[in-house]
């Protein structure tokens, strides 16, 4: 079972725990104690050092949930740091608009990413999406933005190919 668990992800601990939960569900591991043991087995030394107090005194009730919460609090990136990262580091780059939205949601774990996400899009795309953004589900907007992105990229390639040497 432990070989199915991916290596600990210090970049986004929350997502790693989501993966872990899916593995536990698929393998029908429901015991808090068993989950706790699998978790401890996969923790890197630097995380073990952060939660040694929980490892030396295993809680009788809900050991997995208690350790998980401690790991998230002690090793996870704070929401403030993730917001700072979103505003300074995260850009559209080579992603499609919908990939950018999913990445931003994964960083914060928050469904209210619409305005932040729209702010990262090219101005033309924002202008097209603005009239529909209040009444449209974010994922639908992302699909529309992808089509806008594809068509503008295609026009850029076509314009570049048609320029005389």
């Amino acid at each position: 079972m432990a070989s199915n668990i991916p290596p600990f992800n210090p970049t986004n601990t929350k997502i790693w725990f989501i993966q872990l939960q899916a593995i536990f569900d698929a393998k029908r591991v429901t015991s808090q104690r068993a989950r706790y043991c699998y978790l401890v087995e996969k923790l890197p030394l630097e995380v073990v050092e952060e939660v040694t107090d929980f490892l030396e005194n295993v809680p009788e009730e809900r050991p997995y949930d208690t350790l998980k919460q401690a790991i998230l609090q002690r090793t996870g990136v704070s929401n403030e740091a993730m917001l700072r990262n979103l505003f300074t580091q995260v850009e559209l780059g080579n992603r499609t608009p919908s990939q950018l939205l999913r990445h931003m949601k994964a960083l914060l774990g928050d469904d209210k990413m619409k305005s932040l996400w729209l702010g990262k899009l090219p101005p033309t795309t924002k202008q097209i999406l603005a009239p529909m953004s209040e009444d449209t589900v974010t994922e639908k907007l992302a699909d529309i933005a992808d089509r806008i992105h594809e068509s503008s990229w295609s026009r850029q390639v076509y314009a570049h190919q048609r320029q005389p040497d």
Side-chain angles (χ1 to χ4, degrees):
M1 162 69 190
S3 62
N4 293 337
I5 298 173
F8 183 80
N9 180 356
T11 308
N12 197 330
T13 308
K14 185 176 181 178
I15 287 181
W16 184 76
F17 274 110
I18 290 170
Q19 288 180 292
L20 191 58
Q21 183 63 47
I23 292 167
F24 288 154
D25 290 347
K27 300 291 184 182
R28 293 185 174 86
V29 179
T30 58
S31 160
Q32 280 279 316
R33 183 70 179 174
R35 288 178 177 197
Y36 173 90
C37 292
Y38 286 125
L39 174 57
V40 171
E41 183 179 348
K42 282 298 184 174
L43 293 178
L45 180 59
E46 52 279 4
V47 176
V48 169
E49 290 172 350
E50 288 293 325
V51 293
T52 300
D53 53 333
F54 286 93
L55 301 177
E56 290 176 339
N57 301 301
V58 179
E60 289 293 323
E61 291 187 31
R62 303 179 62 212
Y64 170 77
D65 289 341
T66 305
L67 181 58
K68 174 184 170 182
Q69 193 60 37
I71 292 169
L72 287 169
Q73 287 175 345
R74 296 177 184 187
T75 66
V77 177
S78 70
N79 281 344
E80 182 180 318
M82 282 193 237
L83 275 173
R84 189 171 38 259
N85 182 30
L86 278 174
F87 284 115
T88 60
Q89 304 294 321
V90 176
E91 297 296 333
L92 181 63
N94 292 332
R95 299 179 180 106
T96 64
S98 60
Q99 288 172 329
L100 174 64
L101 175 64
R102 285 189 295 274
H103 178 69
M104 292 170 71
K105 280 184 172 184
L107 284 175
L108 279 183
D110 184 5
D111 288 329
K112 298 176 184 170
M113 296 299 304
K114 189 184 289 188
S115 62
L116 288 172
W117 170 72
L118 284 167
K120 297 287 184 180
L121 298 179
T124 307
T125 305
K126 283 190 274 195
Q127 290 171 347
I128 295 168
L129 295 177
M132 62 184 95
S133 66
E134 283 187 35
D135 302 326
T136 308
V137 175
T138 309
E139 286 73 17
K140 180 69 175 163
L141 284 175
D143 291 340
I144 296 167
D146 283 349
R147 285 180 274 169
I148 295 166
H149 187 72
E150 285 176 15
S151 67
S152 66
W153 185 81
S154 297
R155 281 193 302 257
Q156 289 171 356
V157 169
Y158 179 74
H160 180 70
Q161 289 172 345
R162 297 210 8 118
Q163 290 178 349
D165 291 337

